[in-house]
């Protein structure tokens, strides 16, 4: 455990941690092997990728109860990276997956040291929902042949759907395998829905092993796990071709982004629930170390687990001793009883993976997007389609581009407003939302609700010119209500300077109200502050209106000077 946890550890926690660790083990074993199978790797690597990262995170991780290990959202990404590089051969696949984990760990470590955890914010919520749903569908389709007891060669969602349909049409479905798999799905989903205190995955595993023993399903063509390799994983540098490093590094970037995003959210949520504080950059360093260790001990890339962590917490986990107990229990299994799970049917592992993939689909979240904001639903749809149709790895980068594109789109054509005085309300308000608001003759109060930068500066300039031209009364002053303008780049500064000269030629004064100090400092460096004139920057809209009235001699009464309405008799 981390030094802080060791110093603060209380003896009263020991019994709870030990019991929670044993409960957690019952979930770690089948889930780890199932996700390994989903990633195109031998099931044993899922246990290796569970033991070593749990130990590494216990040593370096800041969260007291978070559990790391193989993850459903990463399995499809790992498969998408290693299979095209020759991952059909188990030995090659293990080496490629190990190298991928090492590169992922290094990327995350560098991010943690450089304090780059903020990059996970590049994925908006609709895009996250979309790529997780795309990954879920990819996993579901990939596991269907295993659930039905046959295999296919195709890669990519559409190809796999076609090959699976052909296999079904050709009569390749093993009914016994399908019965086992469907039973597993039903058991896990029903217990998850109605009896969460019982580990549905463990119940499904026991049912599968019992079915093989009672009905001799292995003789009916149902593949079973077999005896696991005896012993603990050994240290080994993954041996891969240099020509594969480019593809592996690209994959590592995508995996790192997904893993960091999931881990950061889960870690902060746990800390908030338990009244603790967690250093997000230390979280990245611990996650990087765990991935690095997994890759060097015949495992694959891992992340935090949003399914196993709640199990540990519900079972009474108080510290990182709980996952350490789980790691030790799995190690004992591999050393003392590697044949304990030899009759576990592989269709049952496929069922476990499928139920995990179903959990990635947030139907309620998607419905809410469709109901409250159609543009974000379109983002979800695009991210989902990118992952499902272009492939998981390409889809992740498509998701990032969609998030950035959505931000640029909103800033490119932001909301803006002409402001007027509303008698019943204090201040100046959008005349479109308050039609009774009155305009001050000769004064255009214009609010632009975004930073000014190269993409929207031209739009800002055109809007001001159009509003001046279309005004009912000749405009003498334009006051930009600039509180929402949090930044102005050099391109926007040049555009404002051009607008300033154009307005001056028409005898119109340009002024700013409520411009933030840092933005004002930037305008000084650009030379725009002096060009506009220091006396044309006002602290509030009200003082800008006063400045206009004083400079032009316009008569008018501001809301602050207007007498209060006489109360009804």
């Amino acid at each position: 455990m981390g030094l802080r946890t060791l110093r603060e550890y209380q003896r009263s926690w020991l019994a709870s941690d030990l019991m929670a660790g044993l409960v957690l083990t019952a979930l770690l074993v089948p889930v780890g092997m199932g996700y390994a199978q989903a990633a195109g790797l031998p099931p044993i690597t899922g246990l290796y990728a569970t033991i070593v990262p749990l130990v590494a995170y216990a040593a370096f991780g800041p969260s007291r109860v978070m559990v790391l290990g193989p993850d459903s959202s990463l399995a499809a990404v790992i498969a998408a990276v290693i299979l095209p590089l020759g991952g059909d051969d188990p030995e090659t696949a293990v080496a490629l997956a190990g190298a991928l984990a090492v590169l992922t760990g290094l990327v995350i470590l560098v991010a943690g040291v450089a304090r780059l955890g903020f990059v996970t914010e590049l994925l908006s919520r609709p895009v996250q929902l979309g790529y997780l749903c795309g990954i879920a569908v990819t996993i579901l389709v990939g596991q269907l042949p295993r659930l039905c007891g046959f295999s296919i060669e195709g890669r990519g969602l559409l190809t796999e759907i076609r090959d699976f349909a052909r296999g079904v049409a050709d009569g390749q479905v093993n009914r016994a395998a399908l019965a086992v798999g469907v039973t597993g799905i039903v058991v896990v989903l029903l217990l998850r829905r109605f009896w969460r205190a019982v580990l549905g995955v463990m119940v499904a595993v026991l049912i599968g092993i019992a079915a093989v023993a009672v009905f001799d399903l292995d003789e009916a063509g149902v593949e079973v796990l077999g005896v696991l390799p005896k012993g603990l994983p050994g240290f080994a540098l993954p041996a891969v071709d240099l020509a594969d490093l480019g593809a592996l590094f690209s994959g590592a970037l995508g995996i790192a982004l997904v893993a960091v995003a999931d881990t950061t959210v889960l870690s902060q949520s746990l800390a908030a629930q338990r009244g603790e504080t967690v250093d997000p950059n230390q979280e990245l360093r611990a996650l990087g170390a765990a991935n690095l260790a997994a890759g060097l001990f015949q495992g694959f890339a891992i992340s935090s687990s949003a399914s196993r962590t709640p199990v540990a917490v519900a079972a009474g986990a108080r510290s990182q001793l709980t996952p350490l107990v789980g790691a030790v229990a799995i190690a004992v299994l591999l050393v003392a009883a590697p044949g304990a799970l030899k009759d576990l049917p592989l269709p049952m592992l496929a069922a476990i993976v499928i139920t995990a993939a179903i959990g990635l689909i947030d139907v309620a979240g998607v419905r809410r997007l469709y109901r409250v904001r159609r543009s974000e639903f379109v983002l979800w749809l695009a991210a989902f389609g990118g992952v499902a149709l272009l492939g998981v790895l390409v889809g992740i980068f498509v998701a990032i581009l969609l998030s950035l594109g959505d931000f640029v789109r909103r800033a490119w054509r932001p909301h803006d407003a002409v402001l007027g005085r509303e008698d019943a309300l204090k201040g100046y308000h959008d005349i479109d939302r308050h039609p009774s608001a009155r305009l001050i003759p000769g004064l255009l109060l214009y609010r632009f609700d975004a930073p000014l930068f190269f993409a929207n500066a031209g739009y800002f300039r055109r809007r001001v010119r159009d509003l001046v031209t279309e005004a009912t009364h000749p405009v003498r002053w334009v006051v930009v209500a600039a509180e929402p303008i949090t930044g102005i780049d050099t391109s926007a500064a040049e555009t404002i300077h051009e607008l300033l000269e154009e307005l001056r030629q028409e005898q119109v004064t340009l002024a700013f109200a409520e411009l933030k100090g840092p933005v004002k400092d930037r305008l000084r460096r650009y030379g725009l502050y002096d060009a506009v004139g220091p006396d044309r920057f006002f602290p509030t809209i009200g003082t800008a209106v006063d400045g206009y009235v004083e400079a032009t001699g316009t008569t008018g009464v501001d809301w602050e000077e207007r007498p209060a309405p006489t109360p009804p008799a």
Side-chain angles (χ1 to χ4, degrees):
M1 292 177 288
L3 292 178
R4 191 190 73 172
T5 305
L6 274 177
R7 287 195 301 267
E8 300 175 356
Y9 195 83
Q10 302 177 24
R11 293 184 63 182
S12 59
W13 297 352
L14 183 59
S16 296
D17 277 337
L18 291 176
M19 182 57 66
L22 294 176
V23 172
L24 182 63
T25 304
L27 185 61
L28 292 175
V29 173
V31 168
M33 292 191 296
Y35 292 162
Q37 179 176 272
L41 296 163
I44 184 62
T45 60
L47 300 185
Y48 296 162
T50 300
I51 296 173
V52 181
L54 288 179
V55 175
Y57 188 83
F60 303 109
S63 174
R64 285 187 175 178
V65 294
M66 191 161 66
V67 178
L68 264 61
D71 186 67
S72 57
S73 64
L74 299 187
V77 187
I78 295 169
V81 175
I82 67 173
L83 291 180
L85 300 178
D88 291 332
D89 173 62
E91 186 175 342
T92 303
V94 171
L96 289 169
L100 184 61
V102 168
L103 291 173
T104 300
L106 292 174
V107 169
I108 298 175
L109 275 173
V110 169
V113 172
R115 300 180 179 275
L116 297 177
F118 66 88
V119 297
T120 60
E121 298 171 3
L122 294 176
L123 290 174
S124 65
R125 182 59 179 164
V127 169
Q128 286 181 352
L129 290 176
Y131 85 72
L132 284 176
C133 190
I135 286 175
V137 171
T138 301
I139 293 173
L140 283 169
V141 172
Q143 292 300 307
L144 285 178
R146 294 187 177 97
L147 189 77
C148 296
F150 67 93
S151 60
I152 59 175
E153 298 296 329
R155 294 175 188 152
L157 183 65
L158 297 180
T159 303
E160 289 179 0
I161 291 175
R162 181 200 64 196
D163 290 354
F164 173 70
R166 285 179 178 173
V168 173
D170 293 342
Q172 296 184 39
V173 176
N174 184 309
R175 294 184 179 180
L178 180 60
V180 169
V182 171
T183 300
I185 293 174
V186 171
V187 167
V188 173
L189 293 182
L190 285 179
L191 290 178
R192 181 188 295 173
R193 177 68 176 84
F194 298 108
W195 202 359
R196 298 185 70 88
V198 177
L199 291 178
V201 170
M202 192 61 198
V203 173
V205 167
L206 294 176
I207 290 175
I209 293 174
V212 170
V214 172
F215 300 109
D216 296 323
L217 295 183
D218 51 339
E219 295 183 3
V222 177
E223 287 190 76
V224 295
L225 181 64
V227 178
L228 295 171
K230 186 175 183 179
L232 300 177
F235 177 86
L237 288 173
V240 297
D241 292 337
L242 292 178
D244 295 334
L245 288 180
L248 290 172
F249 183 72
S250 298
L253 290 176
I255 291 174
L257 183 66
V258 175
V260 169
D262 290 346
T263 301
T264 301
V265 171
L266 181 58
S267 175
Q268 296 297 331
S269 299
L270 288 171
Q273 292 171 8
R274 300 169 63 86
E276 300 170 354
T277 58
V278 171
D279 180 359
N281 294 300
Q282 179 59 30
E283 194 71 80
L284 295 192
R285 292 190 286 269
L287 178 62
N291 271 281
L292 188 60
L296 295 175
F297 285 87
Q298 304 172 51
F300 51 87
I302 55 89
S303 179
S304 61
S305 173
S307 60
R308 280 151 285 173
T309 299
V311 169
V313 172
R318 306 299 297 273
S319 74
Q320 280 296 316
L321 181 59
T322 291
L324 276 179
V325 170
V328 171
I330 297 173
V332 170
L333 172 70
L334 293 179
V335 173
L341 300 174
K342 63 181 178 65
D343 289 332
L344 175 61
L346 294 186
M348 188 61 76
L349 287 182
I352 292 170
V353 174
I354 287 174
T355 56
I358 291 173
L360 295 176
I361 303 174
D362 186 353
V363 176
V366 175
R367 285 178 177 171
R368 185 173 183 277
L369 287 178
Y370 183 80
R371 186 176 66 252
V372 303
R373 189 156 188 168
R374 295 292 174 85
S375 62
E376 295 203 348
F377 174 77
V378 172
L379 273 180
W380 172 88
L381 195 62
F384 167 69
V387 173
L389 301 178
L390 301 178
V392 175
L393 189 58
V394 174
I396 289 174
F397 290 104
V398 167
I400 296 172
L401 292 177
L402 285 172
S403 289
L404 293 176
D406 182 48
F407 166 76
V408 172
R409 178 187 64 82
R410 296 184 189 189
W412 184 28
R413 294 293 184 271
H415 178 267
D416 62 353
V418 174
L419 307 181
R421 292 189 302 184
E422 175 65 74
D423 291 340
L425 294 174
K426 182 177 180 179
Y428 296 84
H429 303 276
D430 183 350
I431 62 173
D432 288 336
R433 300 181 68 87
H434 299 272
S436 60
R438 293 177 295 109
L439 299 176
I440 301 171
L443 175 62
L444 173 64
L445 290 175
Y446 176 61
R447 192 184 71 216
F448 192 77
D449 294 340
L452 276 166
F453 65 112
F454 65 91
N456 63 15
Y459 174 72
F460 170 82
R461 176 184 173 186
R462 289 192 299 274
R463 285 289 292 152
V464 171
R465 294 305 311 274
D466 290 345
L467 291 170
V468 169
T469 302
E470 297 167 2
T472 304
H473 301 284
V475 174
R476 302 170 68 181
W477 272 40
V478 173
V479 174
V480 179
E483 185 179 16
I485 300 177
T486 55
I488 299 176
D489 69 6
T490 55
S491 299
E494 291 181 6
T495 301
I496 294 174
H497 197 281
E498 293 170 0
L499 175 63
L500 176 65
E501 295 302 321
E502 292 170 355
L503 292 176
R504 281 177 175 169
Q505 290 177 10
E506 300 173 11
Q507 306 301 312
V508 177
T509 298
L510 178 65
F512 291 85
E514 300 180 344
L515 189 66
K516 292 177 171 56
V519 182
K520 199 180 297 183
D521 293 340
R522 194 171 296 277
L523 293 188
R524 287 190 177 96
R525 290 196 293 273
Y526 295 156
L528 189 57
Y529 182 82
D530 291 330
V532 173
D535 59 340
R536 293 297 178 255
F537 289 88
F538 299 93
T540 65
I541 297 177
T543 57
V545 172
D546 291 341
Y548 167 73
V549 170
E550 181 180 347
T552 62
T554 301
T555 57
V557 180
D558 196 6
W559 64 267
E560 291 175 336
E561 301 168 348
R562 185 175 296 278
T566 304

